[in-house]
Amino acid sequence: MIHLGWFLGAGFGIQPWSEKGGDGLWTGSNVTDWMKPDIYVDLATSMERAGFDYILIEDTAMVEDSYQGTAETSLRRGFMAPKNDPMPLVPLMTQRTKHIGIIPTASVIQYPPYLAARLFATLDHLTEGRVGMNVVTSVTDRVAQNYGYAEHFEHDERYLMAQEWVDVVQQLQGSWKPGAVLADVWNAVYADHTKVQPIDFVGKYFSSRGPLNTIPGPQGRPPIASAGGSEAGRDLAARYDDTMMSLSKSVEEMKEYRLDMRRRVAVYGRDPDAVKFLFLVTPVIAETDAEAQEKKKAMAAARLSDASIEYNLWNMSYTSGGRIDFGAIDPDTLIRDIDFSRQNGENSSVAAIFQNSADLSLREVVATSYQITDLGLVGSPDTVAARMGEIMDEVGGDGFLFYLPTTRRNMAEVADGLAPALRRRGLIRDGYSGTTLRENLLEH
């Protein structure tokens, strides 16, 4: 069975909203309603109808100003700001659904371990076992400065910090042992105090006495997700992840990545089959193959617009951790002549953008390089469904994480066009057998 997820890449933030800004048509009332729950509830009900495992909600907590040394572009275009805290959105999305999981993002520098453990235990109860935790290390100095740091930690140290963070969180989540809750009405005994103990954790980055002051949720420890592509990121995922998003540009890269990660998971004594690796993809779906190809051509042409080029340069600056201002570099500069040693952000994402581009200019990369590709998933629902099956057969599993603009048209194309085509081929679930996110991830 192919597992499916939806990556809400703009988080609980402003969704595609301006035709002139390069977002295109079908943006509806996003410009005024992005902060309301309606479109996110519609997304959840639509993707549940499509049999998706989960929706993963990105998050950032800053107003980015590394591009051209000002926040003007970020605020004029609505890039990563404004953005709301995703946590209160989670129970609203699950209230109208019964099966799909919701995975909000928690940064290790934004959420102290005790706060995170308590918050996700609470969400696990409110969602009846359908919440997961996307663990990130945050990207830029601006985020770090919003939480009391002078600058962000270096890339690899951030992942050592994340390992310790997950360890503390999980110890806190396990501080109420099985059988601790008695709920004995007749003898007026709620909990057995001998089964609720402090953890007394003292580490390099965090310390917490514990125990947690709330009871475990239906999943006990909500599933963990991450997106690391670097060595440090892969190691974190191998230790803890239940599902992981991967950035691969070809079927061969997907295959190599999955084999490598399954080997790493096994090294830590974990079952590789219990971890679902979902590959980021931007499918192009239309009523016919010809229409989809025309749609893809139009999307490629749109990348040459001033609005698209501005976004790509801005995104490159952000992805570097705010350490490289691509808006200040002559666009005719060859990639080989750009100093990337200063970057301290999403190192694997930067590598993906500039992959095999040493002899190209920055101008050429901006117009042609895709951080996330369609992997050949272009065509009618039947064509895309067939190709998805072929890719998964070659890669060996586990599924795809769709990254599309959050519009109701895209939701309908996936839920009411692609999903039925996949279901006719027996490639995705026809109904959910489990009641929790963890159970859905483990379904074969």
Side-chain angles (χ1 to χ4, degrees), residues 253-270:
E253 283 186 20
M254 295 168 68
K255 190 173 182 178
E256 291 174 357
Y257 179 88
R258 185 171 183 270
L259 287 171
D260 177 63
M261 285 306 306
R262 285 175 61 84
R263 177 189 61 78
R264 291 172 187 254
V265 169
V267 166
Y268 284 109
R270 304 176 61 215

Side-chain angles (χ1 to χ4, degrees), residues 14-67:
I14 189 166
Q15 304 301 323
W17 62 277
S18 170
E19 180 181 352
K20 184 176 181 181
D23 293 326
L25 300 172
W26 314 106
T27 58
S29 59
N30 282 356
V31 68
T32 55
D33 292 345
W34 68 266
M35 73 294 291
K36 301 174 183 178
D38 303 57
I39 194 167
Y40 310 101
V41 171
D42 287 354
L43 176 64
T45 56
S46 296
M47 293 310 107
E48 181 167 274
R49 189 165 69 251
F52 276 47
D53 286 48
Y54 60 78
I55 296 167
L56 191 149
I57 309 175
E58 178 271 354
D59 190 38
T60 49
M62 83 297 176
V63 177
E64 181 59 33
D65 63 357
S66 61
Y67 180 67

